[in-house]
Amino acid sequence: QITLKESGPTLVKPTQTLTLNCTVSGFSLSTSGVAVGWIRQPPGKALEWLALIYWDDDKRYSPSLRSRLTIAKDTSKNLVVLTMSNMDPGDTATYYCAHLPLVPGAASYDAFDIWGQGTMVTVSS
Amino acid sequence: EIVLTQSPDTLSVSLGEGATLSCRASQSVSITYLAWYQQKVGQAPRLLIYGGSRRAPGITDRFSGSGSGTDFTLTIARVEPDDSAVYYCQQYAHDGRTFGQGTKVEIK
């Protein structure tokens, strides 16, 4: 059974760097055809895709946030880490990580099929 | 960046009736890379449809997806109280992934 769980600070100050962890189980981050993404959702607003890391360590970022984001993985710890620099109150949101299967022909191909519960981050001084 | 515009913003549907949700893209999107999600209050999103028309495992056949090019549709047949949620479309293109702003489905 695949599960993901986000963790990190609930409160950060403006200009600080946010570091979020996504601990995964039920699959390996090095298995071919696997990716993990980060998505956020400000209170009462829509979902926004942030970043994606593939099994081969390839990475993709939202064009509008690229300069502030870094995604990385530690396969031995089953961990995907997202850092976002220069935090602003507008970055207040629930941050989700999600599993993305990329085996052609497999169920849920190239869609976020399993999501973590999310972690709420508030940016305030 | 491809922008997805969903309509309507809110859809009020009577129990047992059908619901049609629209997702329009600012540029052509391959149906292979169009997905729909359901999000209930206080919960993480749940994948309903991938590849434009393929139901995710465990999803009832009351949900169906269709479309091509820039216009895509999620249809809910015989609406039930449990279908009350916000529904998002999402696309993947070479420059990344974007979500629509969501359609809220209310059950009368």
Side-chain angles (χ1 to χ4, degrees):
Chain A
Q1 180 191 3
I2 291 174
T3 65
L4 303 95
K5 186 173 185 179
E6 307 87 350
S7 60
T10 57
L11 179 66
V12 297
K13 296 183 187 311
T15 75
Q16 286 187 335
T17 293
L18 170 69
T19 299
L20 293 173
N21 292 331
C22 175
T23 302
V24 308
S25 64
F27 69 99
S28 171
L29 293 168
S30 62
T31 298
S32 178
V34 164
V36 172
W38 283 94
I39 303 100
R40 72 177 178 179
Q41 185 173 38
K45 295 188 177 181
L47 301 165
E48 179 183 21
W49 170 72
L50 300 176
L52 190 68
I53 189 163
Y54 296 84
W55 75 94
D56 60 359
D57 215 37
D58 194 11
K59 304 171 180 79
R60 294 289 184 271
Y61 296 101
S62 165
S64 62
L65 292 167
R66 182 190 310 275
S67 63
R68 299 174 54 205
L69 294 172
T70 302
I71 190 170
K73 63 181 173 73
D74 184 331
T75 300
S76 66
K77 295 181 179 178
N78 296 318
L79 195 63
V80 175
V81 181
L82 181 75
T83 62
M84 179 180 291
S85 63
N86 195 24
M87 293 292 284
D88 176 87
D91 296 313
T92 293
T94 296
Y95 288 75
Y96 296 98
C97 60
H99 174 265
L100 190 87
L102 286 164
V103 176
S108 307
Y109 174 72
D110 212 347
F112 295 110
D113 64 341
I114 309 293
W115 295 62
Q117 64 191 18
T119 185
M120 179 66 192
V121 178
T122 301
V123 183
S124 174
S125 54
Chain B
E1 182 179 88
I2 294 178
V3 176
L4 298 178
T5 302
Q6 294 185 240
S7 61
D9 289 333
T10 302
L11 184 60
S12 187
V13 189
S14 298
L15 274 175
E17 296 293 304
T20 300
L21 287 66
S22 174
C23 175
R24 178 162 289 179
S26 59
Q27 302 173 44
S28 184
V29 172
S30 169
I31 193 170
T32 301
Y33 304 120
L34 195 288
W36 290 91
Y37 301 84
Q38 176 194 64
Q39 187 179 32
K40 297 179 181 179
V41 173
Q43 296 185 17
R46 178 175 71 147
L47 176 65
L48 296 176
I49 301 288
Y50 68 99
S53 61
R54 298 171 183 265
R55 275 183 293 277
I59 300 301
T60 172
D61 60 5
R62 294 190 302 104
F63 290 95
S64 62
S66 63
S68 65
T70 59
D71 291 301
F72 299 90
T73 299
L74 176 70
T75 301
I76 311 173
R78 305 178 301 282
V79 162
E80 300 178 356
D82 192 50
D83 298 334
S84 178
V86 179
Y87 293 82
Y88 294 95
C89 57
Q90 179 246 314
Q91 66 80 32
Y92 164 61
H94 69 280
D95 60 347
R97 300 162 191 270
T98 53
F99 289 88
Q101 86 280 11
T103 290
K104 182 178 182 179
V105 172
E106 297 177 339
I107 312 302
K108 291 180 188 176

